[in-house]
Amino acid sequence: MALPHLEALLEEKKLPGLDGFRMVAVMAVVFAHSGVGTLFFSARHGVAGFFVLSGFLITWLLLKEHEKAGTISFRNFYMRRSLRIFPAYYAFLLVSISWDLFRGNDDIKDAIVPGLFYFMNYHNALEGHSSSSIGHVWSLAIEEQFYLIWPMLFVFLMRCGREYAVALLIIASLVVLAWRSYSYTYLDYGPSYAYNAFDTRFDNLALGCLLAFLAQKPRWLTVFDGISSRFWMPFIPLGLLFLSKQYGSSDYAYGPAFTIDALLLAILLLQLIRLSSGRFWGWLNHPVSIYLGVISYPIYLWHVWGLQAGDKLNFLPEWLQLLAGVIISGMLASASYHFLEKRFLRLKHRYVVKGPRISNSSMAENPQSMDGMKARERWS
């Protein structure tokens, strides 16, 4: 069976493969934090994958909104993001901070304010990774900082022109690469700063944004179709990610590697969008993969608690402790999603863009695209 072209897939109500990609990324983090390595994906690749995906998907939705209404509603954007992120996040913080205070973990005291106000990344960057149960929310702080500034920057770039936007995103990625390498190698800021700071990780998000702009250009769609035409092609970026993880000095690992990995992950993402429609990679669209992708956000939030609970079952073999920890993480995430998050996600439709389509580009000619936008907003 011939694979559909990316142009057609990108106009679907729900982009195929993305939930499977989320599942792989979050499970890479879970297994890495449990002490079990993965062949191609490490925790750093899982987190970088989420950054690339966020940059791509948020920019894709903003581009679609701009095509329909000719502008961006900041109010609608921030309301959608708030309904998606805040309920689960602050419920997790409430439980985690309360429990850490109860059990006498003094590290939580310094982490409370950074956690509440989304600058845990800079707390970790400057003070070292927190040993509290909320130390891992540094990556969510980076995403929130991105959500805060990107819509305004996006509107500015759209006024300047899409070619200008593409050029600026490329330049921004290279500047961040240069700054990260310089700050680590010559200023001796250390690995915590290179790994956690927004100014050293924005290239991951910028490359995702760049991918969304390029995916609207016919000549780039032809290129993307070409590199996603055979089932074995994703093994090329996967193999290069493995080599990037295994080899190279620390100057490489905390310098160029973050940018190179994000570029490889961006290529992999587009490949899997198309190839997940085929037989070999079809498991990415399996109901189990989709469900784990849907709850990947609360899995990321709660997996530390789940893994710790599994470790307490020390009467079991280690592999069963790990399995129990993963299952408990999934149960906590499912409870968060079904009993809390879905109540707020049902409100997101109130903040979906409305208005006539003003773009005449080939990417905007699908008469069902308004329904597609609504569907994409539900799972973004």
Side-chain angles (χ1 to χ4, degrees):
M1 185 179 74
L3 291 170
H5 292 293
L6 270 171
E7 182 172 4
L9 291 172
L10 291 171
E11 284 297 316
E12 287 193 2
K13 293 182 178 181
K14 183 172 182 178
L15 301 185
L18 292 197
D19 283 324
F21 187 88
R22 284 190 180 99
M23 177 201 67
V24 173
V26 76
M27 294 313 296
V29 174
V30 171
F31 283 120
H33 288 173
S34 70
V36 177
T38 55
L39 180 60
F40 296 110
F41 259 49
S42 64
R44 64 184 281 158
H45 292 146
V47 172
F50 275 119
F51 289 159
V52 171
L53 178 58
S54 290
F56 169 75
L57 189 54
I58 292 301
T59 305
W60 187 253
L61 293 172
L62 291 175
L63 284 166
K64 291 300 182 183
E65 179 175 347
H66 196 273
E67 287 173 355
K68 289 173 173 61
T71 187
I72 298 298
S73 169
F74 294 131
R75 172 182 174 271
N76 286 354
F77 176 85
Y78 291 121
M79 285 301 299
R80 293 193 301 267
R81 290 293 90 200
S82 298
L83 290 168
R84 177 70 182 93
I85 294 169
F86 290 165
Y89 181 78
Y90 284 109
F92 167 76
L93 286 190
L94 176 63
V95 173
S96 297
I97 292 171
S98 300
W99 180 248
D100 272 10
L101 289 173
F102 174 77
R103 68 178 182 168
N105 184 354
D106 289 337
D107 273 3
I108 192 64
K109 295 177 182 178
D110 292 332
I112 291 175
V113 172
L116 288 174
F117 294 100
Y118 280 99
F119 56 93
M120 180 60 73
N121 57 325
Y122 281 104
H123 174 80
N124 288 355
L126 300 173
E127 304 294 335
H129 195 88
S130 173
S131 66
S132 69
S133 57
I134 66 172
H136 62 293
V137 303
W138 68 271
S139 62
L140 304 179
I142 286 181
E143 294 219 25
E144 191 64 24
Q145 290 155 17
F146 168 70
Y147 298 148
L148 183 64
I149 66 173
W150 177 239
M152 293 176 280
L153 184 57
F154 175 87
V155 170
F156 169 76
L157 292 175
M158 293 300 285
R159 289 173 180 170
C160 296
R162 298 191 183 205
E163 296 298 331
Y164 183 88
V166 168
L168 189 64
L169 286 167
I170 293 172
I171 292 170
S173 299
L174 294 174
V175 168
V176 171
L177 186 161
W179 163 243
R180 183 176 57 243
S181 298
Y182 180 74
S183 64
Y184 179 81
T185 303
Y186 296 102
L187 299 181
D188 198 26
Y189 278 16
S192 290
Y193 194 89
Y195 196 83
N196 289 275
F198 179 82
D199 54 277
T200 57
R201 298 303 296 268
F202 176 68
D203 55 338
N204 291 194
L205 293 150
L207 287 171
C209 300
L210 176 64
L211 185 65
F213 277 101
L214 295 181
Q216 288 206 327
K217 294 178 176 293
R219 64 179 181 273
W220 277 100
L221 282 171
T222 301
V223 173
F224 295 148
D225 276 337
I227 62 174
S228 61
S229 58
R230 298 290 185 270
F231 78 92
W232 50 265
M233 288 181 170
F235 288 107
I236 296 176
L238 283 170
L240 293 174
L241 284 168
F242 174 76
L243 293 176
S244 180
K245 180 180 71 171
Q246 295 295 116
Y247 301 103
S249 65
S250 62
D251 288 341
Y252 168 78
Y254 291 98
F258 286 111
T259 307
I260 293 170
D261 291 352
L263 181 60
L264 292 170
L265 287 162
I267 294 170
L268 179 65
L269 175 61
L270 268 188
Q271 288 177 324
L272 294 181
I273 289 175
R274 188 180 187 205
L275 289 169
S276 64
S277 301
R279 184 172 300 175
F280 187 86
W281 297 96
W283 57 271
L284 290 166
N285 293 321
H286 188 277
V288 173
S289 300
I290 291 173
Y291 181 72
L292 291 174
V294 167
I295 65 168
S296 59
Y297 174 49
I299 286 177
Y300 185 82
L301 285 172
W302 290 99
H303 77 277
V304 173
W305 288 111
L307 294 176
Q308 288 180 357
D311 288 342
K312 299 294 183 184
L313 305 175
N314 47 24
F315 57 88
L316 296 173
E318 287 189 7
W319 70 273
L320 280 178
Q321 292 179 42
L322 169 60
L323 179 60
V326 172
I327 291 173
I328 294 170
S329 300
M331 292 171 63
L332 292 171
S334 293
S336 172
Y337 178 72
H338 289 287
F339 297 118
L340 176 63
E341 295 170 57
K342 286 180 72 174
R343 299 174 184 272
F344 292 92
L345 292 175
R346 293 190 189 103
L347 304 176
K348 287 180 67 178
H349 72 278
R350 300 180 182 180
Y351 305 101
V352 174
V353 62
K354 297 178 177 65
R357 180 182 298 278
I358 64 168
S359 172
N360 292 319
S361 68
S362 62
M363 294 295 295
E365 292 174 354
N366 185 345
Q368 295 180 338
S369 57
M370 187 62 184
D371 292 335
M373 172 63 98
K374 292 179 181 178
R376 284 190 288 269
E377 287 292 355
R378 284 198 296 273
W379 52 267
S380 65

